Amino acid sequence: MQNDPLKPGYNFDAHLVAGLTPIIEGDELDYTINRPSGMKGYIINLTSKGEGTLFSGPDSIDVGVGDLLLFPPTAAHYYHRKKETVSWFHRWVYFRPRAFWHDWLSWQEQHNGVYITRGLDKTAFEQIERLFIDIEYTSKSEASYRNDLAINLLEQLLIRCKSLQPDVLSKALDPRVIEAMNFMTQNLNQEFSIDDVAAHTCLSPSRLGHLFRDEMAMTITQWRDDQRISRAKQLLVTTNHSVNQIGRIVGYSDPLYFSRVFKRKAGVSPKIYREQVT
Ligand code: FCB
């Protein structure tokens, strides 16, 4: 298990991880980042120095200072320093989005499933780079509410990037999917079944299941558990409630089941998570 997100083998099971990858020719980070089946979350990436190359062969494209990339979970990651340059420094944020961010997560231009926004002007670049830096430092700080603050800055970053799109035209989510998400968010602490969610949207469970998966690239249960665990993480570090109480608040009446789901999503048990971040 790798502790450094810049090295291969790091397990990205957090809701937000941010960093700067300073690649210099011949250095230990000078390798190709290659994740053929994408990641569980999104990545937003800004080149701050030098140039990088995405993909290989006829598909390859180069990115330079002021170019932004957004990798949805299904996009393949294949990138490295551009061969003819000595360095490629890029800032990045890995994140699992909240439901209502959907509209900000599609940009106009894409290449092999990766969104691209090129050539920010100086003011936009400075503003955007500042947000990347603030997200990284806030998330690594000791501040109380650091996760919420970092997420809030990430929201600003995503909104700014969306507003830079020349032609803000994005596919709206199906209203029944939004209804389903609202229902689950409002009832996060209740035991509800997929049938209950479906009944609320006036669709059959299987029709809603397919629609949800098509639009959100995950199942209803995965989405619900993601939201519950995200809330549990917040409560673990901002309240003194016991782990079992928190499990109940986020909708798991069975403490063992809560710990199991938490561990699967967060990589550690709720108790260890609390010790690590407080
Ligand atoms: C790091 C890479 C960076 C990004 C994050 C998720 O190892 O250097 O580009 O892919 O992982």
Side-chain angles (χ1 to χ4, degrees):
M1 220 353 220
Q2 174 59 256
N3 291 326
D4 181 351
L6 303 189
K7 311 256 178 74
Y10 182 84
N11 187 356
F12 284 91
D13 44 22
H15 275 80
L16 188 153
V17 187
L20 163 70
T21 303
I23 303 180
I24 296 172
E25 185 174 6
D27 260 17
E28 110 181 281
L29 294 178
D30 193 16
Y31 65 89
T32 299
I33 294 147
N34 185 7
R35 304 182 184 110
S37 33
M39 297 178 89
K40 281 192 217 148
Y42 282 71
I43 285 267
I44 183 164
N45 169 311
L46 171 72
T47 296
S48 56
K49 185 175 161 186
E51 281 178 87
T53 302
L54 237 69
F55 304 113
S56 59
D59 275 347
S60 70
I61 49 164
D62 296 333
V63 287
V65 176
D67 289 342
L68 279 162
L69 302 168
L70 176 68
F71 293 79
T74 45
H77 290 229
Y78 187 95
Y79 40 88
H80 52 77
R81 174 182 58 83
K82 180 178 167 186
K83 290 285 167 275
E84 300 77 20
T85 55
V86 290
S87 65
W88 182 36
F89 282 27
H90 60 274
R91 298 191 177 277
W92 51 269
V93 184
Y94 169 85
F95 60 96
R96 312 279 285 266
R98 294 203 165 149
F100 58 91
W101 295 1
H102 182 263
D103 174 53
W104 312 331
L105 294 172
S106 63
W107 298 351
Q108 186 163 336
E109 193 190 326
Q110 40 163 314
H111 181 80
N112 278 357
V114 179
Y115 292 109
I116 307 191
T117 300
R118 286 192 183 274
L120 306 186
D121 66 30
K122 191 166 172 292
T123 322
F125 175 73
E126 282 170 5
Q127 261 176 353
I128 297 243
E129 189 182 37
R130 183 79 255 152
L131 283 166
F132 271 93
I133 298 170
D134 288 348
I135 293 168
E136 180 185 345
Y137 285 92
T138 305
S139 65
K140 291 179 179 165
S141 75
E142 296 293 313
S144 39
Y145 286 103
R146 57 186 166 278
N147 286 337
D148 288 343
L149 284 169
I151 285 178
N152 185 269
L153 290 163
L154 173 61
E155 289 178 344
Q156 290 187 44
L157 173 64
L158 296 174
I159 297 169
R160 284 211 182 275
C161 293
K162 181 71 183 184
S163 66
L164 288 171
Q165 300 309 307
D167 179 10
V168 181
L169 247 190
S170 68
K171 183 174 165 283
L173 271 185
D174 188 293
R176 291 158 303 180
V177 171
I178 297 178
E179 255 312 292
M181 294 192 298
N182 285 341
F183 175 82
M184 289 190 276
T185 310
Q186 279 153 20
N187 295 288
L188 217 53
N189 59 340
Q190 310 284 325
E191 297 268 349
F192 56 79
S193 64
I194 306 293
D195 288 7
D196 299 329
V197 185
H200 193 75
T201 62
C202 301
L203 291 174
S204 72
S206 93
R207 173 90 184 86
L208 177 67
H210 281 114
L211 189 65
F212 197 94
R213 225 195 152 112
D214 285 350
E215 302 226 341
M216 303 300 296
M218 65 174 89
T219 65
I220 298 178
T221 319
Q222 281 165 340
W223 188 87
R224 184 206 59 195
D225 286 343
D226 250 28
Q227 300 297 311
R228 284 181 166 169
I229 299 305
S230 162
R231 176 89 181 113
K233 283 180 171 175
Q234 190 186 37
L235 293 171
L236 281 166
V237 296
T238 55
T239 71
N240 294 323
H241 295 325
S242 71
V243 169
N244 289 355
Q245 271 172 316
I246 292 178
R248 275 197 301 277
I249 295 174
V250 301
Y252 300 102
S253 50
D254 175 354
L256 278 179
Y257 184 65
F258 169 53
S259 282
R260 190 144 24 99
V261 179
F262 191 97
K263 195 152 183 203
R264 197 175 65 231
K265 299 235 174 234
V268 290
S269 67
K271 187 164 171 285
I272 308 255
Y273 181 84
R274 174 173 258 168
E275 282 164 13
Q276 281 176 352
V277 287
T278 48

